[in-house]
Amino acid sequence: MLLHIPDVLTPEELAHGRMLLSQADWADGRITAGTQSAQVKRNLQLPQHLDSARELQAMVEAALKRNALFFSAALPKTVFPPLFNCYQGGMDFGNHVDNAVRSHPFDQSWVRTDVSCTLFFSQPDEYDGGELVVEDTYGLHSVKLPAGDMVLYPSTSLHRVEPVTRGARIASFFWTQSMIRDDSKRSLLFDMDMAISRLRQQHGDTAELVTLTANYHNLLRMWADL
């Protein structure tokens, strides 16, 4: 499932984040790349130990916690602390698949990467190129979203970032270990949750809707990996 989640950040959060990122002390993006990814990764990244990085992480994590669409789609168990990158001057990231597990930078626990997310801080008209291209069974999907919006997709997907030929593409990226490991099951639960929400808005809590809601939670209970 590939999902566009709009307005993850408030205008105030976006403005503050852009200010912090404009003053960022960037480093080589290969600091967090795996062996294969490092061969095709050309970008800049904000080191996680910096005060500005920790402030940005906390802001993004708070935004995720209040976002019902993110929760429904990702069903998060653990969110890897958000990272921040910059592409400019022809930088790109060739085809790759994200590492299956990552070591949490602050408590050294292992996080399985089920869901990948990119949260945009640059507006689309501020740079040329830089599209996130995700490949799945339905073909190629090119993603370039407004600042403050986020795309979510399975971490098993082959993907790349096209070269940035003008301006700078600045974004946050991170992974989520989901309570539901399997993407097809997450997609089914997400579709059910969205349908239940629409039916509730249209008809209220009918007896049939209560039964559907019970089915949703029983499936979640059956499949959840806690």
Side-chain angles (χ1 to χ4, degrees), residues 100-205:
V101 293
R102 287 187 170 270
S103 176
H104 193 290
F106 304 125
D107 65 17
Q108 283 68 60
S109 62
W110 289 103
V111 179
R112 188 182 66 238
T113 59
D114 297 320
V115 180
S116 297
C117 295
T118 297
L119 172 61
F120 291 81
F121 278 84
S122 298
Q123 296 291 0
D125 62 0
E126 293 178 330
Y127 61 99
D128 292 335
E131 294 84 0
L132 170 66
V133 179
V134 180
E135 182 174 347
D136 62 19
T137 55
Y138 299 101
L140 298 177
H141 308 274
S142 181
V143 182
K144 189 173 184 177
L145 299 180
D149 287 15
M150 183 171 75
V151 64
L152 172 155
Y153 59 96
S155 298
T156 53
S157 303
L158 186 70
H159 59 284
R160 64 179 182 270
V161 176
E162 299 285 20
V164 172
T165 58
R166 178 188 65 86
R169 174 200 190 268
I170 299 176
S172 174
F173 65 103
F174 56 93
W175 304 271
T176 297
Q177 179 171 328
S178 178
M179 293 183 283
I180 306 298
R181 179 191 298 242
D182 184 79
D183 179 58
S184 62
K185 292 177 180 178
R186 282 198 311 274
S187 296
L188 186 153
L189 289 169
F190 175 72
D191 289 343
M192 284 186 68
D193 193 23
M194 293 299 99
I196 288 168
S197 296
R198 289 191 292 269
L199 287 170
R200 180 171 288 113
Q201 291 172 1
Q202 295 171 12
H203 305 291
D205 278 318

Side-chain angles (χ1 to χ4, degrees), residues 12 17 19 31 37 57 68 76 82 85 89-90 112 129-130 132 135 154 167 174-175 177 179 192 208 219 222 226:
E12 294 76 17
M19 182 272 293
I31 55 176
S37 295
Q57 287 168 0
N85 59 21
R112 188 182 66 238
L132 170 66
E135 182 174 347
F174 56 93
W175 304 271
Q177 179 171 328
M179 293 183 283
M192 284 186 68
E208 294 80 5
L219 285 172
M222 183 187 304
L226 300 176

Side-chain angles (χ1 to χ4, degrees), residues 15-154:
H16 183 62
R18 283 169 60 94
M19 182 272 293
L20 290 175
L21 290 163
S22 71
Q23 302 170 0
D25 187 12
W26 298 102
D28 190 320
R30 288 174 294 184
I31 55 176
T32 58
T35 303
Q36 186 272 329
S37 295
Q39 300 177 44
V40 294
K41 184 177 185 181
R42 297 192 305 144
N43 67 4
L44 302 173
Q45 195 163 304
L46 193 61
Q48 289 174 291
H49 67 275
L50 297 180
D51 289 343
S52 57
R54 299 298 295 270
E55 182 177 351
L56 287 160
Q57 287 168 0
M59 183 184 73
V60 172
E61 288 170 348
L64 296 175
K65 287 179 180 178
R66 66 171 184 259
N67 193 290
L69 195 56
F70 169 74
F71 183 87
S72 180
L75 292 170
K77 179 180 180 180
T78 305
V79 176
F80 190 90
L83 299 165
F84 301 86
N85 59 21
C86 174
Y87 293 81
Q88 59 188 6
M91 292 178 177
D92 64 350
F93 198 162
N95 279 337
H96 66 284
V97 172
D98 293 330
N99 289 353
V101 293
R102 287 187 170 270
S103 176
H104 193 290
F106 304 125
D107 65 17
Q108 283 68 60
S109 62
W110 289 103
V111 179
R112 188 182 66 238
T113 59
D114 297 320
V115 180
S116 297
C117 295
T118 297
L119 172 61
F120 291 81
F121 278 84
S122 298
Q123 296 291 0
D125 62 0
E126 293 178 330
Y127 61 99
D128 292 335
E131 294 84 0
L132 170 66
V133 179
V134 180
E135 182 174 347
D136 62 19
T137 55
Y138 299 101
L140 298 177
H141 308 274
S142 181
V143 182
K144 189 173 184 177
L145 299 180
D149 287 15
M150 183 171 75
V151 64
L152 172 155
Y153 59 96

